[in-house]
Amino acid sequence: MGDVLAGIHATWELESDALVIRFDRGIRTPKLFSALRERRVPHEALASVTLTPGKRGTVVLHAVPRPGADPLMEAAAGQLKEGSDPYRLVLPAERETLAEQYRDELRALLASRPGAAGAVGYEGEAYDACDAGGVAPAERFLVAPPTGPQSFKAYDGKASFDGTSEVAFRWSWTGASTEKWRSGDQVFPVRDLCGVEWRSPDGVDGYLRLVPRGGGPRSERPDQDPACVVFGRYGPVYESLTFAASVLAAIRGKDRTPVPVPVPVSAAVDPGAVAERIRHLGELHRAGLVTDAEFSAKKAELLAEL
């Protein structure tokens, strides 16, 4: 054990019970990788490992995590771009033979795990190890989330988490909607939450929403929901996603009992609310956070609601 494989932006080290991923911190390294620094992934947290051709003379090793094993990937919910996936290791094509050896060694470890079922190999070939589609979801998080107090700035406020028990939203004087100002700054004990919804700030409608226990009506619109901060191209992925993962892990740690996530309540369209959303979109556009095309498309979408 202790086999080390250095790739582009990251290095993998294979231990007897875990895959240790250490990320570079150079200027060209994706910021999410630099923020994560190092991740220790127990073998039981992995479903499979694949090796596929990459772009421009590279190959890609991909360790596929089990559903429910990693709070970061659970919070991301499939929204990460390939280049920001912490489980992908990109290597020059001339290192393909070495990558194959590493893949086979990791496969053997996964296959020896109790309950292993089968895996996917190079370019889709079948292999008797672990198939990501046939592995049961993990009953608890197996990969540690980012630790310690965290905070980030969103368009309409600042979100902060003390690392264990409390999340706070402080509204921005210029960005927050009237509804949020009326509700005042918010403090959420982790014990009163049952989930986190993260929509990537790479899109126009990115947000982070805290889901309270007990259900009850809540607005469909993030800019009107006091349990939600809107990104508007603020709150970069590496800050807001690690924040969401940490809060989600704290929630699961407080209470292992599954709690249904309440569904937003549909309501009759309020022309005034639509006008407020268009005003908010215009502010993003004037600030250069939304392109002309994005502004026109989203404005047309909002007007269609009337």
Side-chain angles (χ1 to χ4, degrees), residues 171-172 176-186 223-224 226 270 276:
W171 304 125
S172 163
S177 64
T178 301
E179 285 75 5
K180 289 185 176 180
W181 268 110
R182 286 173 179 168
S183 69
D185 292 339
Q186 302 290 304
D223 62 326
Q224 308 293 315
D270 179 358
E276 173 72 11

Side-chain angles (χ1 to χ4, degrees), residues 23-109:
F23 300 102
D24 297 342
R25 301 190 67 186
I27 191 171
R28 295 174 182 251
T29 302
K31 290 184 177 180
L32 178 60
F33 292 0
S34 297
L36 293 174
R37 298 190 182 184
E38 178 177 315
R39 310 203 82 209
R40 192 173 190 280
V41 185
H43 296 156
E44 62 178 320
L46 296 175
S48 67
V49 58
T50 66
L51 177 63
T52 57
K55 299 176 181 177
R56 294 185 292 275
T58 62
V59 292
V60 180
L61 266 175
H62 186 199
V64 182
R66 290 173 62 190
D70 185 347
L72 186 85
M73 304 308 285
E74 289 297 296
Q79 298 174 75
L80 283 179
K81 297 178 180 179
E82 276 193 351
S84 296
D85 185 342
Y87 286 90
R88 296 174 79 253
L89 182 67
V90 181
L91 304 111
E94 57 265 25
R95 306 195 71 190
E96 181 177 339
T97 299
L98 184 60
E100 287 177 345
Q101 296 172 355
Y102 204 92
R103 174 204 62 187
D104 292 344
E105 187 172 356
L106 182 52
R107 279 177 170 175
L109 290 168

Side-chain angles (χ1 to χ4, degrees), residues 51-258:
L51 177 63
T52 57
K55 299 176 181 177
R56 294 185 292 275
T58 62
V59 292
V60 180
L61 266 175
H62 186 199
V64 182
R66 290 173 62 190
D70 185 347
L72 186 85
M73 304 308 285
E74 289 297 296
Q79 298 174 75
L80 283 179
K81 297 178 180 179
E82 276 193 351
S84 296
D85 185 342
Y87 286 90
R88 296 174 79 253
L89 182 67
V90 181
L91 304 111
E94 57 265 25
R95 306 195 71 190
E96 181 177 339
T97 299
L98 184 60
E100 287 177 345
Q101 296 172 355
Y102 204 92
R103 174 204 62 187
D104 292 344
E105 187 172 356
L106 182 52
R107 279 177 170 175
L109 290 168
L110 299 186
S112 64
R113 187 185 66 215
V120 178
Y122 192 92
E123 296 182 335
E125 65 179 290
Y127 186 83
D128 290 332
C130 311
D131 184 358
V135 174
E139 296 182 355
R140 60 184 177 85
F141 288 139
L142 301 170
V143 182
T147 58
Q150 297 181 55
S151 65
F152 70 90
K153 182 181 178 182
Y155 173 76
D156 60 358
K158 180 179 179 180
S160 58
F161 176 46
D162 64 4
T164 56
S165 60
E166 191 173 273
V167 182
F169 292 163
R170 310 293 180 190
W171 304 125
S172 163
W173 183 77
T174 56
S177 64
T178 301
E179 285 75 5
K180 289 185 176 180
W181 268 110
R182 286 173 179 168
S183 69
D185 292 339
Q186 302 290 304
V187 176
F188 304 90
V190 168
R191 65 176 179 273
D192 294 338
L193 302 174
C194 70
V196 178
E197 296 175 7
W198 181 80
R199 296 294 177 269
S200 175
D202 285 340
V204 176
D205 297 321
Y207 63 85
L208 182 142
R209 191 197 306 265
L210 303 175
V211 184
R213 294 181 179 276
R218 60 189 177 100
S219 175
E220 289 182 324
R221 301 192 302 273
D223 62 326
Q224 308 293 315
D225 186 352
C228 185
V229 288
V230 176
F231 297 144
R233 298 289 175 88
Y234 285 81
V237 168
Y238 72 95
E239 290 183 340
S240 61
L241 179 57
T242 53
F243 185 101
S246 296
V247 175
L248 183 58
I251 291 170
R252 299 278 181 89
K254 293 290 183 183
D255 186 354
R256 301 298 310 159
T257 305

